[in-house]
Amino acid sequence: MVSSYDYLSSHKIRSTDIRVAVIDLFLNSNQAISKNELEEKLPDLDRITLYRTLKTFEDKGLIHKVVNSSNKVKYALCIDACTDHDHHHDDRHIHFECSKCEKTICIDEVPLPQISLPAEYIVNKIQLSVEGICQDCQ
Ligand SMILES: [Zn+2]
Ligand SMILES: [Zn+2]
Ligand SMILES: [Zn+2]
């Protein structure tokens, strides 16, 4: 298990107490986390600082946004490639959303289907969501 300090420094991000506290939550979670959940878990942190930290992490390719079917924004940890490729997000994976408990999970082990658009379109991002029932809710 990597420490949060090591994780940040290996991604060339200066550690601050707040950054460590926030990335800690992501490193210890196997599912995407909403802003509300982050606020609940870090009650001492003011919202603006939290949002700024999330923005920094997103810009640096540490976390990516996941929007679920009810338009709720969550954040999930990126694969290392996002930081390696000049912070260009490369999270090409399926997001599974449980329709009972609403948890959202990044599924990295399943390859995305090949999607070819007509030549006049430039694809920046492919988001694929799958809804169903998670293991805990079955
Ligand atoms: Zn990413
Ligand atoms: Zn569930
Ligand atoms: Zn994801």
Side-chain angles (χ1 to χ4, degrees):
M1 178 76 212
V2 233
S3 87
S4 305
Y5 283 100
D6 292 344
Y7 189 83
L8 289 174
S9 69
S10 72
H11 290 83
K12 300 187 178 61
I13 295 171
R14 197 169 50 86
S15 286
T16 62
D17 288 349
I18 291 158
R19 287 176 181 171
V20 167
V22 175
I23 206 68
D24 216 38
L25 293 175
F26 283 101
L27 289 170
N28 288 302
S29 172
N30 54 6
Q31 54 177 284
I33 314 174
S34 70
K35 278 180 183 171
N36 283 350
E37 287 165 326
L38 289 168
E39 281 169 13
E40 275 167 29
K41 286 182 176 157
L42 302 164
D44 299 335
L45 200 60
D46 72 274
R47 280 168 175 225
I48 296 167
T49 314
L50 175 61
Y51 293 175
R52 256 189 224 140
T53 307
L54 292 173
K55 178 91 176 61
T56 306
F57 286 170
E58 204 189 344
D59 290 346
K60 303 246 182 213
L62 254 65
I63 58 173
H64 58 281
K65 259 190 199 141
V66 189
V67 182
N68 76 2
S69 56
S70 40
N71 263 331
K72 245 194 223 158
V73 176
K74 294 189 180 186
Y75 294 89
L77 208 59
C78 285
I79 51 168
D80 282 344
C82 290
T83 18
D84 295 343
H85 299 304
D86 279 334
H87 310 151
H88 182 81
H89 283 279
D90 197 20
D91 304 285
R92 294 171 192 224
H93 53 237
I94 292 165
H95 287 125
F96 180 86
E97 191 194 336
C98 176
S99 32
K100 279 197 180 168
C101 67
E102 291 200 332
K103 85 165 81 151
T104 306
I105 300 163
C106 300
I107 307 216
D108 281 312
E109 54 271 30
V110 178
L112 278 186
Q114 199 66 44
I115 296 169
S116 311
L117 295 191
E120 65 267 32
Y121 298 103
I122 297 168
V123 178
N124 287 330
K125 187 161 85 174
I126 296 174
Q127 286 228 42
L128 192 67
S129 310
V130 177
E131 266 184 65
I133 312 289
C134 80
Q135 228 171 357
D136 297 338
C137 295
Q138 281 165 25

